[in-house]
Amino acid sequence: MSATVTAKGQVTIPKPVRDFLGLAPGTRVEFQRAANGTVVLTRADEKRPARCFGTLRGHAGKGLSTDAIMALTRGDE
């Protein structure tokens, strides 16, 4: 991905990068120079973006006990 620097020194961060980092209007970013000469863009607030399945993680509830499951499989009611 690439972007063009404007006369005012501004760059639009490509949408896939904004989505990956979880950047919204007003989010502060930080530029760090790596040892190999590249520049790394990170969130300044250190908040990590949600992972694809992170919002789905959880627990469905207490569920059935082992005895209740065994009773259902045996046909006991």
Side-chain angles (χ1 to χ4, degrees), residues 7-77:
K8 292 171 64 175
Q10 299 171 332
V11 175
T12 299
I13 301 169
K15 183 161 177 28
V17 175
R18 293 193 315 262
D19 292 344
F20 177 74
L21 293 175
L23 302 178
T27 304
R28 294 189 52 81
V29 295
E30 187 173 290
F31 300 92
Q32 299 172 342
R33 188 174 56 177
N36 66 358
T38 61
V39 176
V40 179
L41 170 71
T42 57
R43 290 180 66 126
D45 59 6
E46 297 182 15
K47 181 179 178 184
R48 301 288 177 225
R51 294 186 178 222
C52 294
F53 295 106
T55 57
L56 301 176
R57 186 175 55 196
H59 195 278
K62 184 173 178 173
L64 299 173
S65 68
T66 303
D67 291 333
I69 293 170
M70 293 304 293
L72 285 173
T73 59
R74 291 185 189 122
D76 300 339
E77 289 187 24

